[in-house]
Amino acid sequence: DNEDDKEQDDDNDDDEEEEEVNIAELFRQRHQCRTEEMPQPLADAYKNAGTVWRGTSAISDYVATPLSNTTTTTTKETKLPPTLVMRGQYDFVSQACVDPWVDTILRNNNKSTTASMVV
């Protein structure tokens, strides 16, 4: 009876692992790369990516905020270089997440430059 329970537990673990792989693959195909097979250069990039900024937990509390005055230039203004904010049609980053970044860029540049956004 214990042997049957162990086999059932192993089968359940295998099913859960397979489901996790399927969910990860569906996410990849929807949000990262919409090709059936991931192109090798992209696969290599993910393979060699660091671990600090990996996964949603790394950025879950990260919020766009204006730069502090401690980073000012000699003109007493904090300016950013021209900036392009991008999010794709199927990106998992929502428009609500992108908007504060555009607002912050414009605020830091005293609205003297344009923050471009591609959707």
Coordinates of all heavy atoms in Angstrom, one line a residue, residues 40-93:
Q40 N 18.3 30.7 -31.6 CA 19.5 30.4 -30.8 C 20.1 31.6 -30.2 O 20.5 31.5 -29.1 CB 20.5 29.6 -31.7 CG 21.6 28.9 -30.8 CD 21.1 28.0 -29.8 OE1 20.3 27.1 -30.0 NE2 21.5 28.2 -28.5
P41 N 20.3 32.7 -31.0 CA 20.9 33.9 -30.3 C 20.1 34.4 -29.1 O 20.7 34.8 -28.1 CB 20.9 34.9 -31.4 CG 20.9 34.2 -32.7 CD 20.1 32.9 -32.4
L42 N 18.8 34.3 -29.2 CA 18.0 34.7 -28.0 C 18.1 33.7 -26.9 O 18.2 34.1 -25.7 CB 16.5 34.9 -28.4 CG 15.6 35.4 -27.3 CD1 16.0 36.7 -26.8 CD2 14.1 35.5 -27.9
A43 N 18.1 32.4 -27.2 CA 18.3 31.4 -26.2 C 19.7 31.6 -25.5 O 19.8 31.4 -24.3 CB 18.2 30.0 -26.8
D44 N 20.7 31.9 -26.3 CA 22.0 32.1 -25.7 C 22.0 33.3 -24.8 O 22.7 33.3 -23.7 CB 23.1 32.3 -26.8 CG 23.3 31.1 -27.6 OD1 23.0 30.0 -27.2 OD2 23.9 31.2 -28.7
A45 N 21.3 34.4 -25.2 CA 21.2 35.6 -24.4 C 20.6 35.3 -23.0 O 21.1 35.7 -22.0 CB 20.5 36.7 -25.1
Y46 N 19.5 34.5 -23.0 CA 18.8 34.1 -21.8 C 19.7 33.2 -20.9 O 19.8 33.4 -19.7 CB 17.5 33.4 -22.0 CG 16.3 34.4 -22.2 CD1 15.8 34.7 -23.5 CD2 15.8 35.0 -21.1 CE1 14.8 35.6 -23.6 CE2 14.7 35.9 -21.2 CZ 14.2 36.2 -22.5 OH 13.2 37.1 -22.6
K47 N 20.4 32.3 -21.6 CA 21.3 31.4 -20.9 C 22.4 32.2 -20.2 O 22.9 31.8 -19.1 CB 21.9 30.4 -21.9 CG 22.9 29.4 -21.3 CD 23.4 28.5 -22.4 CE 24.6 27.7 -21.9 NZ 25.2 27.0 -23.0
N48 N 22.9 33.3 -20.8 CA 24.0 34.0 -20.2 C 23.6 35.2 -19.4 O 24.4 36.0 -19.0 CB 25.0 34.4 -21.3 CG 25.7 33.2 -21.9 OD1 26.3 32.4 -21.2 ND2 25.6 33.1 -23.3
A49 N 22.3 35.4 -19.2 CA 21.8 36.5 -18.5 C 22.2 36.4 -17.0 O 22.3 35.3 -16.5 CB 20.3 36.6 -18.6
G50 N 22.3 37.5 -16.4 CA 22.6 37.5 -14.9 C 21.4 37.0 -14.1 O 20.3 36.7 -14.7
T51 N 21.5 37.0 -12.8 CA 20.5 36.5 -12.0 C 19.9 37.6 -11.1 O 18.8 37.4 -10.5 CB 21.0 35.4 -11.1 OG1 22.1 35.8 -10.3 CG2 21.4 34.2 -11.9
V52 N 20.5 38.7 -11.0 CA 20.1 39.8 -10.0 C 18.7 40.3 -10.4 O 17.8 40.5 -9.6 CB 21.1 40.9 -9.9 CG1 20.6 42.0 -9.0 CG2 22.4 40.4 -9.3
W53 N 18.6 40.7 -11.7 CA 17.3 41.3 -12.2 C 16.5 40.2 -12.9 O 15.8 40.5 -13.9 CB 17.6 42.4 -13.1 CG 18.1 43.6 -12.3 CD1 19.5 44.0 -12.2 CD2 17.4 44.6 -11.6 NE1 19.6 45.1 -11.4 CE2 18.3 45.5 -11.0 CE3 16.0 44.7 -11.3 CZ2 17.9 46.5 -10.2 CZ3 15.7 45.8 -10.5 CH2 16.6 46.7 -10.0
R54 N 16.4 39.0 -12.5 CA 15.7 37.9 -13.1 C 14.4 37.7 -12.4 O 14.4 37.6 -11.2 CB 16.6 36.7 -13.1 CG 16.1 35.7 -14.1 CD 17.0 35.8 -15.3 NE 16.6 35.3 -16.5 CZ 17.2 34.4 -17.1 NH1 18.4 33.9 -16.7 NH2 16.8 34.0 -18.3
G55 N 13.3 37.6 -13.1 CA 12.0 37.2 -12.6 C 11.3 38.4 -12.0 O 11.8 39.4 -11.8
T56 N 10.0 38.1 -11.8 CA 9.1 39.2 -11.4 C 9.4 39.7 -9.9 O 9.1 40.8 -9.6 CB 7.6 38.8 -11.5 OG1 7.4 37.6 -10.8 CG2 7.2 38.6 -13.0
S57 N 9.9 38.8 -9.1 CA 10.2 39.2 -7.7 C 11.3 40.2 -7.7 O 11.3 41.0 -6.7 CB 10.5 37.9 -6.9 OG 11.7 37.3 -7.4
A58 N 12.2 40.3 -8.6 CA 13.3 41.2 -8.6 C 12.8 42.6 -8.9 O 13.4 43.6 -8.4 CB 14.3 40.9 -9.7
I59 N 11.6 42.8 -9.5 CA 11.2 44.1 -9.8 C 9.8 44.4 -9.3 O 9.2 45.5 -9.6 CB 11.1 44.3 -11.4 CG1 10.2 43.3 -12.0 CG2 12.5 44.3 -11.9 CD1 10.0 43.6 -13.5
S60 N 9.3 43.6 -8.4 CA 7.9 43.7 -8.0 C 7.7 45.0 -7.2 O 6.6 45.6 -7.3 CB 7.4 42.5 -7.1 OG 8.2 42.4 -6.0
D61 N 8.7 45.5 -6.5 CA 8.5 46.7 -5.7 C 9.3 47.9 -6.3 O 9.4 49.0 -5.7 CB 9.1 46.5 -4.3 CG 8.3 45.5 -3.5 OD1 7.1 45.4 -3.8 OD2 8.8 44.8 -2.7
Y62 N 9.8 47.7 -7.5 CA 10.6 48.8 -8.2 C 9.6 49.8 -8.8 O 8.7 49.5 -9.6 CB 11.4 48.2 -9.3 CG 12.6 49.1 -9.7 CD1 13.7 49.2 -8.9 CD2 12.5 49.8 -10.9 CE1 14.8 50.0 -9.3 CE2 13.6 50.6 -11.3 CZ 14.7 50.7 -10.5 OH 15.7 51.5 -10.9
V63 N 9.8 51.1 -8.4 CA 8.8 52.1 -8.8 C 9.6 53.3 -9.5 O 10.7 53.6 -9.0 CB 8.1 52.7 -7.6 CG1 7.2 53.8 -8.0 CG2 7.3 51.5 -6.9
A64 N 9.1 53.8 -10.5 CA 9.7 55.0 -11.2 C 9.6 56.2 -10.2 O 8.5 56.6 -9.8 CB 9.0 55.3 -12.5
T65 N 10.7 56.8 -9.9 CA 10.7 58.0 -9.1 C 11.7 59.0 -9.7 O 12.7 58.6 -10.3 CB 11.2 57.7 -7.7 OG1 12.5 57.1 -7.7 CG2 10.2 56.8 -6.9
P66 N 11.4 60.3 -9.5 CA 12.4 61.3 -10.0 C 13.8 61.2 -9.4 O 13.9 60.7 -8.3 CB 11.7 62.6 -9.6 CG 10.3 62.3 -9.3 CD 10.3 60.9 -8.8
L67 N 14.8 61.5 -10.2 CA 16.1 61.5 -9.7 C 16.3 62.5 -8.5 O 15.6 63.6 -8.5 CB 17.1 61.9 -10.8 CG 17.2 60.9 -11.9 CD1 18.1 61.4 -13.0 CD2 17.7 59.5 -11.4
S68 N 17.1 62.3 -7.6 CA 17.3 63.2 -6.5 C 18.2 64.3 -6.9 O 19.0 64.2 -7.9 CB 18.0 62.5 -5.3 OG 19.3 62.1 -5.6
N69 N 18.2 65.4 -6.2 CA 19.1 66.6 -6.6 C 20.5 66.3 -6.3 O 21.4 67.1 -6.7 CB 18.6 67.8 -5.8 CG 17.4 68.4 -6.4 OD1 17.1 68.1 -7.6 ND2 16.6 69.1 -5.6
T70 N 20.9 65.2 -5.7 CA 22.3 64.9 -5.4 C 23.0 64.5 -6.7 O 24.2 64.4 -6.7 CB 22.4 63.7 -4.4 OG1 21.7 62.6 -4.9 CG2 21.8 64.1 -3.1
T71 N 22.2 64.2 -7.8 CA 22.8 63.8 -9.0 C 22.8 65.0 -10.0 O 22.9 64.8 -11.2 CB 22.1 62.6 -9.6 OG1 20.7 63.0 -9.8 CG2 22.2 61.4 -8.8
T72 N 22.7 66.2 -9.5 CA 22.6 67.3 -10.4 C 23.9 67.7 -11.1 O 24.9 67.3 -10.7 CB 22.1 68.6 -9.7 OG1 23.0 68.9 -8.6 CG2 20.7 68.4 -9.1
T73 N 23.7 68.4 -12.2 CA 24.9 68.8 -12.9 C 25.3 70.2 -12.5 O 24.6 70.8 -11.6 CB 24.6 68.9 -14.5 OG1 23.5 69.8 -14.7 CG2 24.2 67.5 -15.0
T74 N 26.2 70.8 -13.1 CA 26.6 72.2 -12.7 C 25.6 73.2 -12.9 O 25.6 74.3 -12.4 CB 27.9 72.6 -13.4 OG1 27.7 72.5 -14.8 CG2 29.1 71.7 -13.0
T75 N 24.6 72.9 -13.8 CA 23.5 73.8 -14.1 C 22.4 73.7 -13.1 O 21.3 74.3 -13.2 CB 23.0 73.7 -15.5 OG1 22.4 72.3 -15.6 CG2 24.0 73.9 -16.5
K76 N 22.6 72.9 -12.1 CA 21.6 72.6 -11.0 C 20.3 72.0 -11.6 O 19.2 72.1 -11.0 CB 21.2 73.9 -10.3 CG 22.4 74.6 -9.6 CD 22.8 73.7 -8.4 CE 24.0 74.4 -7.7 NZ 24.7 73.5 -6.9
E77 N 20.4 71.3 -12.7 CA 19.3 70.6 -13.2 C 19.6 69.1 -13.4 O 20.8 68.8 -13.6 CB 18.9 71.1 -14.6 CG 18.3 72.5 -14.6 CD 18.0 73.0 -16.0 OE1 18.2 72.2 -17.0 OE2 17.4 74.1 -16.1
T78 N 18.7 68.3 -13.2 CA 18.9 66.9 -13.4 C 18.2 66.5 -14.7 O 17.0 66.7 -14.9 CB 18.2 66.0 -12.3 OG1 18.7 66.5 -11.0 CG2 18.4 64.6 -12.4
K79 N 19.0 66.1 -15.7 CA 18.5 65.8 -17.0 C 18.9 64.4 -17.4 O 20.0 64.0 -17.1 CB 19.1 66.8 -18.0 CG 18.5 68.2 -17.9 CD 18.4 68.8 -19.2 CE 17.6 70.1 -19.0 NZ 16.9 70.6 -20.1
L80 N 18.1 63.8 -18.1 CA 18.3 62.4 -18.6 C 18.6 62.6 -20.1 O 18.1 63.5 -20.7 CB 17.1 61.5 -18.4 CG 16.7 61.2 -16.9 CD1 15.4 60.5 -16.9 CD2 17.8 60.5 -16.3
P81 N 19.3 61.7 -20.7 CA 19.5 61.7 -22.1 C 18.2 61.3 -22.8 O 17.3 60.9 -22.2 CB 20.6 60.6 -22.3 CG 20.4 59.7 -21.2 CD 20.0 60.5 -20.0
P82 N 18.1 61.6 -24.1 CA 16.9 61.2 -24.8 C 16.6 59.7 -24.5 O 17.5 58.8 -24.4 CB 17.2 61.3 -26.3 CG 18.3 62.4 -26.3 CD 19.1 62.1 -25.0
T83 N 15.3 59.4 -24.3 CA 14.9 58.1 -23.8 C 13.8 57.5 -24.6 O 12.9 58.3 -25.0 CB 14.5 58.2 -22.3 OG1 15.5 58.8 -21.6 CG2 14.2 56.9 -21.7
L84 N 13.9 56.3 -24.9 CA 12.8 55.6 -25.6 C 12.3 54.5 -24.7 O 13.0 53.7 -24.2 CB 13.4 54.9 -26.9 CG 12.4 54.0 -27.6 CD1 11.3 54.8 -28.2 CD2 13.2 53.2 -28.7
V85 N 11.0 54.7 -24.4 CA 10.3 53.7 -23.5 C 9.5 52.8 -24.4 O 8.7 53.2 -25.2 CB 9.4 54.4 -22.5 CG1 8.6 53.4 -21.7 CG2 10.1 55.4 -21.7
M86 N 9.8 51.5 -24.3 CA 9.1 50.5 -25.2 C 8.3 49.5 -24.4 O 8.7 49.1 -23.3 CB 10.1 49.8 -26.0 CG 10.8 50.6 -27.1 SD 12.0 49.7 -28.2 CE 11.8 48.0 -27.8
R87 N 7.2 49.1 -25.0 CA 6.5 47.9 -24.5 C 5.8 47.3 -25.8 O 5.3 48.1 -26.6 CB 5.6 48.2 -23.4 CG 4.3 48.9 -23.7 CD 3.3 49.0 -22.5 NE 2.5 47.8 -22.4 CZ 1.4 47.5 -23.1 NH1 1.1 48.3 -24.1 NH2 0.7 46.5 -22.9
G88 N 5.9 46.1 -25.9 CA 5.3 45.4 -27.1 C 3.8 45.1 -26.9 O 3.3 45.2 -25.8
Q89 N 3.2 44.8 -28.0 CA 1.8 44.5 -28.0 C 1.4 43.4 -27.1 O 0.4 43.4 -26.4 CB 1.3 44.1 -29.5 CG -0.1 43.8 -29.6 CD -0.5 43.5 -31.0 OE1 0.3 43.5 -31.9 NE2 -1.8 43.2 -31.2
Y90 N 2.3 42.4 -27.0 CA 2.0 41.2 -26.1 C 2.9 41.2 -24.9 O 3.1 40.2 -24.2 CB 2.2 39.9 -26.9 CG 1.3 39.8 -28.1 CD1 1.7 40.1 -29.4 CD2 0.0 39.5 -27.9 CE1 0.8 40.0 -30.5 CE2 -0.9 39.4 -29.0 CZ -0.5 39.7 -30.2 OH -1.3 39.6 -31.3
D91 N 3.5 42.3 -24.6 CA 4.4 42.5 -23.4 C 3.6 42.2 -22.1 O 2.5 42.6 -22.0 CB 5.0 43.9 -23.4 CG 6.3 43.9 -22.7 OD1 6.5 43.2 -21.7 OD2 7.2 44.7 -23.1
F92 N 4.3 41.5 -21.2 CA 3.7 41.3 -19.9 C 3.7 42.6 -19.0 O 3.0 42.7 -18.0 CB 4.3 40.1 -19.2 CG 5.7 40.3 -18.8 CD1 6.1 40.8 -17.6 CD2 6.7 39.9 -19.7 CE1 7.5 41.0 -17.3 CE2 8.0 40.0 -19.5 CZ 8.4 40.6 -18.3
V93 N 4.5 43.6 -19.4 CA 4.5 44.8 -18.7 C 3.3 45.7 -19.3 O 3.2 45.9 -20.4 CB 5.9 45.6 -19.0 CG1 5.8 47.0 -18.3 CG2 7.0 44.8 -18.5

